[in-house]
Amino acid sequence: MSIDFPRAEESVLQHWKEIDAFQRQLQLSEKRQRFVFYDGPPFGLPHYGHLLASTIKDIIPRYWSMKGRHVVRRFGWDTHGVPIEHEIDKKLGISGREAVMKLGIEKYNQECRAIVMRYATEWRQTIDRLGRWIDFDNDYKTMDVNFMESEWWVFKELFEKDQVYRSYQVMPYSTALCTPLSNFESQQNYKDALDPAIVVSFPLKRSEHINTHLLIWTTTPWTLPSNLAIATHPDFEYIKIFDEASDRHYILLESCLSKLYKDPKKAKFKIVDKMLGKTMNGWKYEPLFNYFADKFQDCFRVVNATYVKPDDGTGLVHQSPAFGPEDYDVAMENGLISPQRLPPNPLDEKGCFTSEVPEYVGQNVKFADKAIIKDLRKTGRLIVESQITHSVGFCWRSDTPLIRKAVSAWFIKVTESVPQMMENIGTSNWVPSFVKDKRFGSWISNARDWNVSRNRYWGTPIPIWASDDFEELVCVGSIAELKELSGHTGDLHDIHRDKIDNITIPSKKGKGDLKRIDEVFDCWFESGSMPYAAQHYPFENKETFEQASFPADFIAEGLDQTRGWFYTLTVLGNKLFGVSPFRNCVVNGIILAEDGKKMSKRLQNYPDPSKVMKLYGADALRLYLINSPVVRAEPLRFKESGVQGVVSNVLLPLWNSYKFFEGQAVLLKKLRGIDFVFDPELDLHRDMNVMDRWILANCQSLLEFMNQEMAGYRLYTVVPRLLDLIDNLTNWYIRFNRKRLKGTDGVELDDTIQALNSLFHVLFILIRALAPFIPFLTDHMYKLLLPHISKQLQDTFDDTGSVHFLPFPEVQTELLDEAVERRVGRMQRVIGLTRVARERRAIGLKTPLETLVVIGDPDLLEDVKSLESYIREELNVRELVVSSDEEKYNITLSVIPDWPTLGKRLKKDLQKVKKAVPSLTNDQIRRYLQEKSIVVDGIRLEEGDLAVVRGLRKDSNSTEPEKWETASDNEVLILLDTSIHAGLMQESLVRDLINRLQRMRKTAGLKTTDDVRMEYNVLSDPDGVDVGKAVTEHGAMIKKALRSAVPASDPTEDVKDRTILEETHTIQSAELLFRLLRV
């Protein structure tokens, strides 16, 4: 009987709720050593990226809990920041500080608070349905006063260590959110955008350069009203040309002429002078606009800057210090601006021009571009007008283009801590390792100071109280300290802006009352503070935190968090405690739609996760995600068919292996009156059947491998091995042991019980090993297997209520057997190669063949010969011949080089190898196999450089069809005699007949123990197959397989009332009618 996996999962979920399974697991492990897991707070609705991360965050804690650790898992909520404010701004139709102040911060924050938990129900439903065990009731929220107070402590610790400063700097700026962003935030959303690309002229004020213009190229015309200088590289040679079309002289780099002319070769100009950039330093020019000409009279000149590139623009760079970090630095170095004379910055918080630039007042910078270009055209300063598609940073929250803008902000010093952070991350384990070594290591090594302030409202207020001139600063580290310093006597159960901005602290320097600064923390500062703030450290849980909760044993998130949460955790952990805050980090890639595009609700290019789980089950989705490139930090194109494939290729075979066991246990009870009970001691006998020893040894090898790889957090290596064991169980062990398991064909009772015991043992190991990965099916199967476990053994369990309460299976070293695993492995290879040979000749396994020859080394042949009976029966061949004599069978050897690898290593010498390889002899290739190396035309090739291929030497004079079909790998060659022998065809017919009747029994829903009469009737036999003779001569085979004879039907007998199922089949060329009848 088939199984409805989603319905079974719903039943398991209900069982978990009834026994409060997660809390029960925590109770059982409460006194054990802690395994510390940090879960970063998500935002928004759950999507496939969240489900992938949640699957990883469920598998690893489940595994370590089964390994005897106590794993606390608390859900967290990201409840602050611009994402929520952006939603409120859209809802209320407001934007900017003025609108918020008019509404009132208290009212604004009330609106924000009202929506922060709007997705809580969806999250709980989705995560529960996914099977993830995590505590939603004992969660943490970044807006909780305890969380916020710990953030204050973190910040004060940094402040007192002189790691905090205020600075006026050019920062990435979101005009939609009206706030600066950190440098790492600005890197998270780059995409192509279309912008203007113009060349503008600046006439020189020099007598020796009359009618001469400096040319600059820009994609941000809106920055031109704030221009103060033009930068040249001191060491570059610039040219002065005469342009015939405009009758003007222009100065630019010769390598940049294509910015001025579409085709410089056809353009009408001539070079009249050349000069180094350093000689141009100080040259004055006419400003484009006069808005700031009076205040900055000493500006509007050429300055030197080494950041100027020879292939970017014209080689002269327009300088607008308020809107470019390099511009700002160059202007400071050249005395154009100073802390007392800040650069022109005529934009408001929304990115619109202020009254300082009256012609464009109120216009957003992107809209003002057109008006500015139009005015430049009128004044004759616009030389070239075009457009460019280039990669531009967008706000990762509002998805609007970012600008660079000078603002006052609060920074944490990071650059000086880079060496310490690099040293500490070296001690942590990252999976995959290249993320640490390349992506994260590179990001850390180039880290800049971190802007942690945001000009927003719904967030944790930065706890700095300052005098009006900012010369007196007080950083507050707790609510109690704020009360003590301010004299505030009221309750402070909430410390958001609307509750504390009115609290002042008396100055100790006679500067009146100190007021809190306007800014709130960046939400990344909040998530980076999670290890401390989630536990209200150091105000509570101090001893637990310091002794057992820091650093974390494990964290996991997506690749994008290398510049987000992983980074902020690392900065704060190193700053506060001088260590990396986590020991192991698993990084997953991104999930794309099936077409390779980003998943989009608007495009509806991906299936709804809840519908996928409803259709296929959560186990299938979990296993599909975890057994994909995405756990190696590579992208995954999500395919619903892939989830369906997991059901067909993994879950159903696993379930069917249990059902097969169940059927045989029922049969044992019916035929022998024995209730099967698992006996662990029974599998310790060394004289067991070789397949029993093999499958149990295979289990122990898997457990050894899992312990090693799970300790290294390499999920991507573990899952394939688990699936291999399922394949070995279903397609090899059960298939090869059906007679023993069924107790048919004269099999002794003890052998049947031994086989059932081994099968049960493997199933019991598998469901525990798989439990962290597919928690539903394993628990469902566990409840079905439990009655076959003795009470004595059950009494050793802490709790029998769930497979997840059991310990992870220990490796039984006494069952390890490398030799038997090697022997069966070689048998599998021979069988696999022979199946390929049959497929090439289109000869099915039901057709008996005479001879199979296996050629290889003596030790391999010994292993193969020891399992001859299995090979002959599985492959349906009469004779197995093993030989090391390749010459006898005309075997020839050839090699296939690994050209990509050799090409990188050998470069020009690769041609020598190409010429020499075809002439290698059989003896030379054999020596290569033995010695693991060979010298070819003076070049040494090692093991792995050449793949050895064995083949059959063809007889060019023969006109007979070749009877031998070959297949080979590096170790073994098989020769299959594909000649069809008439004497074997009847046996083939009988095998086919047995197969058809077994399928009919399954179609009719019959169990193994159901007794029915099976009969046949020959409707036609045009080629004289003689079915009756075949059935008679092979009656014993039929009776062994079907547990009864199959007689020809009696045409005089009326069987309508007794017929269960009737089908017509064609076997070879005979048409037969089969019937199943009630006894």
Side-chain angles (χ1 to χ4, degrees):
M1 186 177 71
S2 187
I3 180 175
D4 183 335
F5 288 112
R7 182 175 294 181
E9 290 182 358
E10 293 286 357
S11 175
V12 172
L13 271 175
Q14 184 59 38
H15 172 66
W16 288 349
K17 289 176 183 175
E18 289 170 359
I19 66 172
D20 199 4
F22 176 43
Q23 291 303 320
R24 178 58 178 155
Q25 187 193 61
L26 292 175
Q27 290 169 9
L28 291 170
S29 63
E30 193 168 10
K31 295 181 180 179
R32 298 172 186 162
Q33 181 185 353
R34 294 192 70 164
F35 177 89
V36 182
F37 159 60
Y38 294 159
D39 191 12
F43 177 79
L45 280 167
H47 53 66
Y48 280 108
H50 291 127
L51 298 189
L52 167 64
S54 282
T55 299
I56 296 171
K57 294 173 185 180
D58 189 52
I59 289 171
I60 290 175
R62 279 184 184 273
Y63 170 79
W64 286 105
S65 183
M66 292 181 76
K67 292 293 285 186
R69 304 285 288 275
H70 181 63
V71 191
V72 174
R73 284 153 273 180
R74 295 174 62 201
F75 201 79
W77 302 96
D78 183 3
T79 56
H80 276 155
V82 290
I84 293 162
E85 293 191 21
H86 192 49
E87 292 294 318
I88 296 304
D89 288 352
K90 287 193 293 184
K91 173 187 173 183
L92 301 179
I94 63 175
S95 177
R97 174 184 171 82
E98 186 178 339
V100 174
M101 291 303 171
K102 183 177 180 181
L103 177 69
I105 294 179
E106 182 176 12
K107 175 66 174 172
Y108 187 81
N109 280 357
Q110 285 175 358
E111 292 281 351
C112 292
R113 186 185 292 275
I115 72 164
V116 292
M117 298 303 291
R118 63 179 173 175
Y119 299 133
T121 301
E122 288 91 339
W123 268 100
R124 189 159 196 160
Q125 289 174 346
T126 302
I127 296 302
D128 281 352
R129 184 62 191 87
L130 186 66
R132 181 183 178 190
W133 281 3
I134 192 163
D135 197 339
F136 279 97
D137 298 322
N138 185 30
D139 58 6
Y140 72 85
K141 304 178 184 70
T142 57
M143 68 178 183
D144 290 343
V145 66
N146 286 350
F147 195 99
M148 296 168 70
E149 185 178 29
S150 288
E151 289 181 64
W152 279 12
W153 171 83
V154 170
F155 191 73
K156 182 171 183 179
E157 287 289 301
L158 301 179
F159 187 88
E160 291 187 339
K161 292 178 179 180
D162 192 29
Q163 296 298 299
V164 176
Y165 66 93
R166 179 175 182 262
S167 178
Y168 186 77
Q169 290 188 19
V170 178
M171 298 295 299
Y173 189 91
S174 171
T175 57
L177 305 178
C178 305
T179 188
L181 304 179
S182 60
N183 285 307
F184 65 82
E185 284 178 297
S186 70
Q187 301 289 322
Q188 294 188 341
N189 188 18
Y190 265 81
K191 53 187 177 181
D192 287 344
L194 184 66
D195 275 323
I198 61 174
V199 176
V200 178
S201 73
F202 290 79
L204 284 170
K205 291 181 173 181
R206 295 181 68 82
S207 58
E208 69 273 29
H209 289 293
I210 296 172
N211 194 28
T212 300
H213 300 246
L214 305 174
L215 296 185
I216 67 95
W217 177 85
T218 184
T219 60
T220 55
W222 61 269
T223 62
L224 291 171
S226 306
N227 170 268
L228 291 186
I230 292 175
T232 61
H233 194 291
D235 302 326
F236 290 172
E237 185 177 63
Y238 293 82
I239 60 171
K240 177 179 178 180
I241 65 169
F242 176 70
D243 176 64
E244 293 184 13
S246 64
D247 196 31
R248 288 177 177 176
H249 291 94
Y250 296 132
I251 294 177
L252 73 166
L253 281 179
E254 189 171 2
S255 60
C256 298
L257 282 167
S258 59
K259 284 291 191 293
L260 182 60
Y261 303 114
K262 288 184 179 179
D263 186 352
K265 292 182 179 179
K266 296 180 180 179
K268 294 182 178 180
F269 72 92
K270 63 180 178 180
I271 298 175
V272 297
D273 198 3
K274 294 184 177 182
M275 64 215 73
L276 289 176
K278 66 179 68 174
T279 65
M280 301 164 64
N281 192 33
W283 289 4
K284 301 283 284 186
Y285 61 82
E286 293 284 349
L288 273 181
F289 300 93
N290 293 316
Y291 305 123
F292 306 103
D294 291 339
K295 184 177 180 181
F296 294 91
Q297 291 180 17
D298 56 327
C299 298
F300 309 106
R301 55 187 169 90
V302 176
V303 294
N304 285 160
T306 54
Y307 82 85
V308 177
K309 297 177 182 177
D311 55 354
D312 192 11
T314 62
L316 297 92
V317 182
H318 129 71
Q319 304 290 290
S320 185
F323 305 117
E326 295 91 351
D327 303 22
Y328 186 91
D329 293 342
V330 169
M332 286 290 285
E333 290 169 7
N334 285 273
L336 305 180
I337 60 173
S338 68
Q340 291 73 41
R341 186 175 73 164
L342 296 176
N345 192 349
L347 298 183
D348 65 15
E349 60 179 4
K350 292 184 283 188
C352 297
F353 278 107
T354 64
S355 58
E356 291 178 282
V357 183
E359 281 82 359
Y360 313 116
V361 64
Q363 294 186 37
N364 181 273
V365 291
K366 302 309 289 183
F367 294 105
D369 278 344
K370 292 181 180 179
I372 291 170
I373 292 172
K374 182 179 179 181
D375 288 345
L376 293 174
R377 193 182 300 116
K378 288 179 183 178
T379 59
R381 304 287 283 273
L382 182 67
I383 307 303
V384 175
E385 180 181 0
S386 62
Q387 292 182 314
I388 185 173
T389 299
H390 59 159
S391 184
V392 173
F394 277 65
C395 175
W396 68 297
R397 289 301 194 185
S398 65
D399 206 33
T400 54
L402 296 174
I403 64 172
R404 292 292 190 274
K405 185 176 186 289
V407 292
S408 291
W410 293 87
F411 294 83
I412 292 175
K413 297 176 183 178
V414 175
T415 305
E416 65 183 38
S417 298
V418 165
Q420 181 193 46
M421 289 193 291
M422 291 296 292
E423 180 180 352
N424 284 334
I425 66 171
T427 64
S428 59
N429 172 49
W430 289 58
V431 179
S433 59
F434 77 84
V435 178
K436 177 180 80 169
D437 298 336
K438 296 181 180 179
R439 187 182 177 100
F440 192 65
S442 175
W443 180 254
I444 290 290
S445 63
N446 294 289
R448 288 178 276 179
D449 290 354
W450 174 15
N451 169 19
V452 294
S453 60
R454 297 292 178 267
N455 301 331
R456 300 303 302 178
Y457 316 96
W458 177 242
T460 300
I462 295 180
I464 290 180
W465 273 254
S467 59
D468 292 340
D469 58 8
F470 281 90
E471 289 185 3
E472 184 177 0
L473 302 176
V474 173
C475 185
V476 173
S478 68
I479 293 172
E481 184 181 7
L482 176 59
K483 287 185 173 182
E484 180 184 346
L485 292 174
S486 66
H488 184 82
T489 56
D491 289 332
L492 281 179
H493 300 309
D494 184 355
I495 54 174
H496 283 91
R497 283 193 62 178
D498 52 292
K499 301 297 189 289
I500 68 165
D501 277 5
N502 62 332
I503 298 175
T504 59
I505 294 175
S507 169
K508 293 182 180 180
K509 297 181 180 180
K511 293 179 177 289
D513 287 335
L514 307 184
K515 300 173 185 175
R516 199 196 69 81
I517 61 174
D518 285 344
E519 292 91 342
V520 299
F521 281 126
D522 161 24
C523 63
W524 290 106
F525 181 86
E526 300 196 326
S527 60
S529 300
M530 170 264 155
Y532 330 104
Q535 300 187 57
H536 196 208
Y537 179 84
F539 308 102
E540 296 180 74
N541 307 304
K542 192 172 189 297
E543 184 177 346
T544 301
F545 175 85
E546 292 173 357
Q547 293 182 4
S549 295
F550 185 86
D553 290 294
F554 158 69
I555 64 170
E557 288 294 344
L559 190 60
D560 56 326
Q561 294 303 322
T562 52
R563 296 176 178 179
W565 190 49
F566 299 155
Y567 173 70
T568 59
L569 280 175
T570 299
V571 170
L572 295 182
N574 278 270
K575 289 287 184 184
L576 294 171
F577 296 102
V579 297
S580 177
F582 49 86
R583 298 185 179 97
N584 298 281
C585 178
V586 176
V587 186
N588 62 262
I590 60 171
I591 300 179
L592 304 171
E594 188 170 352
D595 59 6
K597 296 179 181 177
K598 187 177 180 181
M599 287 186 169
S600 165
K601 287 183 182 178
R602 180 178 58 83
L603 297 175
Q604 295 185 332
N605 60 351
Y606 65 93
D608 186 313
S610 60
K611 291 181 180 177
V612 168
M613 287 191 282
K614 188 174 183 179
L615 193 57
Y616 306 107
D619 280 342
L621 177 59
R622 287 167 66 112
L623 207 53
Y624 169 70
L625 293 175
I626 216 68
N627 192 36
S628 74
V630 80
V631 291
R632 298 190 298 270
E634 298 171 13
L636 166 68
R637 293 189 178 192
F638 186 90
K639 296 181 180 179
E640 187 175 341
S641 61
V643 184
Q644 186 177 17
V646 170
V647 174
S648 305
N649 302 325
V650 181
L651 301 186
L652 269 175
L654 178 61
W655 172 251
N656 288 338
S657 66
Y658 160 73
K659 292 299 289 181
F660 182 82
F661 162 79
E662 179 192 55
Q664 305 325 305
V666 170
L667 191 62
L668 183 68
K669 173 69 173 175
K670 179 179 179 180
L671 299 181
R672 304 294 185 110
I674 297 174
D675 289 311
F676 174 79
V677 177
F678 171 56
D679 180 2
E681 299 298 319
L682 198 59
D683 289 335
L684 300 180
H685 302 305
R686 300 307 294 176
D687 58 349
M688 286 194 307
N689 175 281
V690 66
M691 294 302 286
D692 294 346
R693 286 161 51 203
W694 166 69
I695 195 66
L696 290 169
N698 200 228
C699 284
Q700 305 314 309
S701 296
L702 167 72
L703 295 177
E704 271 194 331
F705 181 80
M706 284 190 72
N707 286 339
Q708 171 188 311
E709 295 302 290
M710 289 299 287
Y713 296 82
R714 292 179 289 273
L715 299 180
Y716 57 84
T717 63
V718 171
V719 177
R721 282 288 293 269
L722 280 164
L723 302 189
D724 284 346
L725 180 56
I726 295 173
D727 179 65
N728 281 339
L729 175 65
T730 57
N731 292 325
W732 295 93
Y733 180 76
I734 292 176
R735 180 184 176 93
F736 281 42
N737 288 273
R738 281 182 177 275
K739 293 175 184 177
R740 294 178 61 232
L741 290 161
K742 286 174 176 287
T744 60
D745 201 13
V747 174
E748 296 288 336
L749 175 61
D750 287 349
D751 197 22
T752 294
I753 291 175
Q754 175 67 71
L756 281 174
N757 205 72
S758 296
L759 175 56
F760 183 94
H761 196 166
V762 175
L763 287 171
F764 191 41
I765 289 173
L766 254 179
I767 61 169
R768 286 176 290 162
L770 282 164
F773 299 87
I774 48 172
F776 292 105
L777 180 57
T778 51
D779 216 7
H780 182 62
M781 289 175 62
Y782 164 73
K783 298 300 285 185
L784 296 171
L785 292 173
L786 193 59
H788 298 286
I789 299 176
S790 67
K791 185 178 186 305
Q792 181 182 4
L793 184 56
Q794 288 189 37
D795 286 344
T796 65
F797 302 164
D798 289 336
D799 191 318
T800 60
S802 169
V803 72
H804 305 289
F805 300 160
L806 304 186
F808 196 80
E810 295 290 337
V811 177
Q812 291 180 261
T813 55
E814 64 272 25
L815 294 179
L816 287 168
D817 194 330
E818 290 184 16
V820 80
E821 286 198 83
R822 185 194 68 242
R823 288 165 60 197
V824 175
R826 286 172 165 174
M827 177 191 77
Q828 289 175 310
R829 287 163 64 188
V830 168
I831 290 172
L833 289 170
T834 309
R835 285 173 178 168
V836 170
R838 276 182 171 270
E839 287 171 8
R840 286 179 186 154
R841 294 294 181 99
I843 302 173
L845 279 172
K846 295 185 184 67
T847 302
L849 296 177
E850 189 65 37
T851 305
L852 171 66
V853 180
V854 179
I855 298 174
D857 293 332
D859 63 329
L860 179 143
L861 298 179
E862 184 180 347
D863 286 346
V864 170
K865 193 67 177 175
S866 70
L867 299 170
E868 177 179 359
S869 60
Y870 291 106
I871 294 172
R872 287 196 293 105
E873 182 173 359
E874 172 61 21
L875 295 174
N876 199 5
V877 294
R878 288 293 161 270
E879 181 185 24
L880 174 67
V881 177
V882 297
S883 176
S884 297
D885 190 349
E886 294 181 341
E887 290 299 325
K888 177 180 176 181
Y889 291 94
N890 289 325
I891 303 304
T892 181
L893 303 182
S894 61
V895 296
I896 300 175
D898 182 353
W899 295 122
T901 302
L902 290 174
K904 292 177 183 176
R905 195 171 82 224
L906 301 180
K907 298 187 170 49
K908 292 181 180 179
D909 285 340
L910 185 67
Q911 293 304 318
K912 292 182 180 181
V913 175
K914 283 188 175 181
K915 291 178 181 179
V917 158
S919 61
L920 290 175
T921 65
N922 279 4
D923 288 341
Q924 287 175 310
I925 296 173
R926 286 192 190 97
R927 262 199 319 275
Y928 169 71
L929 287 172
Q930 292 169 356
E931 299 172 3
K932 311 299 184 187
S933 66
I934 190 172
V935 176
V936 177
D937 196 6
I939 298 167
R940 186 179 182 84
L941 301 180
E942 305 289 346
E943 185 179 14
D945 289 339
L946 303 174
V948 177
V949 179
R950 292 175 170 87
L952 193 64
R953 188 182 295 113
K954 303 293 183 182
D955 184 353
S956 59
N957 297 319
S958 175
T959 58
E960 292 295 318
E962 178 58 62
K963 74 173 184 176
W964 296 107
E965 183 64 43
T966 67
S968 69
D969 60 19
N970 265 344
E971 241 192 339
V972 64
L973 168 72
I974 64 98
L975 301 176
L976 181 65
D977 181 354
T978 58
S979 306
I980 304 297
H981 297 273
L984 299 176
M985 290 306 294
Q986 283 195 337
E987 184 181 332
S988 173
L989 183 149
V990 169
R991 288 181 181 275
D992 217 348
L993 178 146
I994 291 169
N995 181 262
R996 306 295 175 94
L997 286 168
Q998 286 174 330
R999 288 185 187 177
M1000 285 182 65
R1001 287 181 64 99
K1002 193 171 184 179
T1003 301
L1006 297 174
K1007 297 179 181 177
T1008 310
T1009 52
D1010 292 335
D1011 292 324
V1012 296
R1013 174 184 170 88
M1014 295 169 280
E1015 62 180 33
Y1016 73 93
N1017 182 27
V1018 180
L1019 301 179
S1020 67
D1021 188 5
D1023 296 332
V1025 171
D1026 199 349
V1027 177
K1029 180 181 178 183
V1031 171
T1032 301
E1033 290 185 357
H1034 296 280
M1037 180 195 298
I1038 294 172
K1039 198 165 185 179
K1040 287 176 184 177
L1042 299 176
R1043 294 179 48 243
S1044 73
V1046 180
S1049 60
D1050 183 352
T1052 64
E1053 187 179 2
D1054 185 4
V1055 296
K1056 286 184 180 178
D1057 294 339
R1058 294 165 50 210
T1059 300
I1060 300 171
L1061 183 63
E1062 186 176 271
E1063 289 182 356
T1064 301
H1065 291 264
T1066 300
I1067 299 179
Q1068 294 181 15
S1069 60
E1071 187 177 3
L1072 306 175
L1073 175 69
F1074 293 118
R1075 287 196 192 99
L1076 303 182
L1077 304 175
R1078 295 184 186 87
V1079 177

